[in-house]
PDB file of all heavy atoms in Angstrom:
ATOM      1  N   GLY A 340     -19.388 -81.090  24.664  1.00  0.00           N
ATOM      2  CA  GLY A 340     -19.323 -80.111  23.609  1.00  0.00           C
ATOM      3  C   GLY A 340     -20.488 -79.973  22.584  1.00  0.00           C
ATOM      4  O   GLY A 340     -20.466 -79.149  21.677  1.00  0.00           O
ATOM      5  N   ILE A 341     -21.562 -80.919  22.809  1.00  0.00           N
ATOM      6  CA  ILE A 341     -22.615 -80.948  21.964  1.00  0.00           C
ATOM      7  C   ILE A 341     -23.942 -80.866  23.000  1.00  0.00           C
ATOM      8  O   ILE A 341     -23.937 -81.763  23.943  1.00  0.00           O
ATOM      9  CB  ILE A 341     -22.795 -82.262  21.147  1.00  0.00           C
ATOM     10  CG1 ILE A 341     -21.618 -82.310  20.178  1.00  0.00           C
ATOM     11  CG2 ILE A 341     -24.084 -82.278  20.386  1.00  0.00           C
ATOM     12  CD1 ILE A 341     -21.498 -83.627  19.409  1.00  0.00           C
ATOM     13  N   SER A 342     -24.849 -80.044  22.741  1.00  0.00           N
ATOM     14  CA  SER A 342     -25.938 -79.789  23.705  1.00  0.00           C
ATOM     15  C   SER A 342     -27.268 -80.180  22.935  1.00  0.00           C
ATOM     16  O   SER A 342     -27.643 -79.653  22.032  1.00  0.00           O
ATOM     17  CB  SER A 342     -26.097 -78.263  24.029  1.00  0.00           C
ATOM     18  OG  SER A 342     -24.868 -77.771  24.545  1.00  0.00           O
ATOM     19  N   ARG A 343     -27.865 -81.179  23.520  1.00  0.00           N
ATOM     20  CA  ARG A 343     -29.057 -81.676  22.947  1.00  0.00           C
ATOM     21  C   ARG A 343     -30.150 -80.700  22.828  1.00  0.00           C
ATOM     22  O   ARG A 343     -30.988 -80.651  21.992  1.00  0.00           O
ATOM     23  CB  ARG A 343     -29.637 -82.952  23.816  1.00  0.00           C
ATOM     24  CG  ARG A 343     -29.055 -84.336  23.561  1.00  0.00           C
ATOM     25  CD  ARG A 343     -29.571 -85.432  24.389  1.00  0.00           C
ATOM     26  NE  ARG A 343     -31.105 -85.388  24.302  1.00  0.00           N
ATOM     27  CZ  ARG A 343     -31.972 -85.434  25.283  1.00  0.00           C
ATOM     28  NH1 ARG A 343     -31.502 -85.684  26.576  1.00  0.00           N
ATOM     29  NH2 ARG A 343     -33.175 -85.603  25.020  1.00  0.00           N
ATOM     30  N   CYS A 344     -30.129 -79.798  23.946  1.00  0.00           N
ATOM     31  CA  CYS A 344     -31.242 -78.769  23.898  1.00  0.00           C
ATOM     32  C   CYS A 344     -31.115 -77.855  22.722  1.00  0.00           C
ATOM     33  O   CYS A 344     -32.223 -77.160  22.483  1.00  0.00           O
ATOM     34  CB  CYS A 344     -31.181 -78.034  25.268  1.00  0.00           C
ATOM     35  SG  CYS A 344     -29.524 -77.296  25.631  1.00  0.00           S
ATOM     36  N   MET A 345     -29.972 -77.740  22.155  1.00  0.00           N
ATOM     37  CA  MET A 345     -29.795 -76.958  21.008  1.00  0.00           C
ATOM     38  C   MET A 345     -29.959 -77.654  19.753  1.00  0.00           C
ATOM     39  O   MET A 345     -30.602 -77.291  18.720  1.00  0.00           O
ATOM     40  CB  MET A 345     -28.396 -76.229  20.928  1.00  0.00           C
ATOM     41  CG  MET A 345     -28.195 -75.257  22.051  1.00  0.00           C
ATOM     42  SD  MET A 345     -29.434 -73.930  22.165  1.00  0.00           S
ATOM     43  CE  MET A 345     -28.740 -72.785  20.759  1.00  0.00           C
ATOM     44  N   GLU A 346     -29.386 -78.892  19.775  1.00  0.00           N
ATOM     45  CA  GLU A 346     -29.574 -79.898  18.535  1.00  0.00           C
ATOM     46  C   GLU A 346     -31.006 -80.179  18.235  1.00  0.00           C
ATOM     47  O   GLU A 346     -31.330 -80.386  17.171  1.00  0.00           O
ATOM     48  CB  GLU A 346     -28.707 -81.087  18.982  1.00  0.00           C
ATOM     49  CG  GLU A 346     -27.215 -80.838  19.062  1.00  0.00           C
ATOM     50  CD  GLU A 346     -26.515 -80.640  17.651  1.00  0.00           C
ATOM     51  OE1 GLU A 346     -26.778 -81.243  16.734  1.00  0.00           O
ATOM     52  OE2 GLU A 346     -25.703 -79.586  17.698  1.00  0.00           O
ATOM     53  N   GLU A 347     -31.797 -80.324  19.334  1.00  0.00           N
ATOM     54  CA  GLU A 347     -33.125 -80.896  19.184  1.00  0.00           C
ATOM     55  C   GLU A 347     -34.322 -79.753  19.102  1.00  0.00           C
ATOM     56  O   GLU A 347     -35.395 -80.083  18.908  1.00  0.00           O
ATOM     57  CB  GLU A 347     -33.523 -81.818  20.149  1.00  0.00           C
ATOM     58  CG  GLU A 347     -32.606 -83.106  20.217  1.00  0.00           C
ATOM     59  CD  GLU A 347     -33.038 -84.044  21.393  1.00  0.00           C
ATOM     60  OE1 GLU A 347     -33.992 -83.903  21.984  1.00  0.00           O
ATOM     61  OE2 GLU A 347     -32.214 -84.977  21.448  1.00  0.00           O
ATOM     62  N   LEU A 348     -33.729 -78.490  19.291  1.00  0.00           N
ATOM     63  CA  LEU A 348     -34.733 -77.374  19.138  1.00  0.00           C
ATOM     64  C   LEU A 348     -35.144 -77.120  17.737  1.00  0.00           C
ATOM     65  O   LEU A 348     -34.322 -77.016  16.805  1.00  0.00           O
ATOM     66  CB  LEU A 348     -34.041 -76.147  19.747  1.00  0.00           C
ATOM     67  CG  LEU A 348     -34.980 -74.864  19.770  1.00  0.00           C
ATOM     68  CD1 LEU A 348     -36.046 -75.054  20.810  1.00  0.00           C
ATOM     69  CD2 LEU A 348     -34.087 -73.617  20.074  1.00  0.00           C
ATOM     70  N   SER A 349     -36.505 -77.325  17.474  1.00  0.00           N
ATOM     71  CA  SER A 349     -36.968 -77.244  16.132  1.00  0.00           C
ATOM     72  C   SER A 349     -37.248 -75.805  15.713  1.00  0.00           C
ATOM     73  O   SER A 349     -37.450 -74.913  16.430  1.00  0.00           O
ATOM     74  CB  SER A 349     -38.204 -78.075  16.004  1.00  0.00           C
ATOM     75  OG  SER A 349     -39.369 -77.398  16.659  1.00  0.00           O
ATOM     76  N   VAL A 350     -37.289 -75.747  14.436  1.00  0.00           N
ATOM     77  CA  VAL A 350     -37.611 -74.388  13.739  1.00  0.00           C
ATOM     78  C   VAL A 350     -39.014 -73.999  14.216  1.00  0.00           C
ATOM     79  O   VAL A 350     -39.261 -72.697  14.427  1.00  0.00           O
ATOM     80  CB  VAL A 350     -37.464 -74.463  12.152  1.00  0.00           C
ATOM     81  CG1 VAL A 350     -37.890 -73.085  11.552  1.00  0.00           C
ATOM     82  CG2 VAL A 350     -36.076 -74.609  11.795  1.00  0.00           C
ATOM     83  N   GLY A 351     -39.914 -74.901  14.317  1.00  0.00           N
ATOM     84  CA  GLY A 351     -41.238 -74.612  14.735  1.00  0.00           C
ATOM     85  C   GLY A 351     -41.250 -73.964  16.054  1.00  0.00           C
ATOM     86  O   GLY A 351     -42.083 -73.101  16.432  1.00  0.00           O
ATOM     87  N   GLU A 352     -40.460 -74.545  17.017  1.00  0.00           N
ATOM     88  CA  GLU A 352     -40.420 -74.067  18.361  1.00  0.00           C
ATOM     89  C   GLU A 352     -39.763 -72.574  18.398  1.00  0.00           C
ATOM     90  O   GLU A 352     -40.192 -71.832  19.319  1.00  0.00           O
ATOM     91  CB  GLU A 352     -39.597 -74.926  19.243  1.00  0.00           C
ATOM     92  CG  GLU A 352     -40.187 -76.392  19.591  1.00  0.00           C
ATOM     93  CD  GLU A 352     -39.301 -77.301  20.237  1.00  0.00           C
ATOM     94  OE1 GLU A 352     -38.335 -77.583  19.614  1.00  0.00           O
ATOM     95  OE2 GLU A 352     -39.683 -77.805  21.341  1.00  0.00           O
ATOM     96  N   ILE A 353     -38.908 -72.378  17.629  1.00  0.00           N
ATOM     97  CA  ILE A 353     -38.300 -70.977  17.505  1.00  0.00           C
ATOM     98  C   ILE A 353     -39.300 -69.930  16.917  1.00  0.00           C
ATOM     99  O   ILE A 353     -39.566 -68.874  17.408  1.00  0.00           O
ATOM    100  CB  ILE A 353     -37.035 -71.107  16.568  1.00  0.00           C
ATOM    101  CG1 ILE A 353     -36.087 -71.941  17.227  1.00  0.00           C
ATOM    102  CG2 ILE A 353     -36.493 -69.598  16.447  1.00  0.00           C
ATOM    103  CD1 ILE A 353     -34.653 -72.164  16.460  1.00  0.00           C
TER     104      ILE A 353
END
Side-chain angles (χ1 to χ4, degrees):
I341 299 175
S342 302
R343 278 185 52 220
C344 52
M345 297 300 283
E346 296 290 318
E347 297 179 12
L348 186 64
S349 70
V350 173
E352 290 172 300
I353 297 172

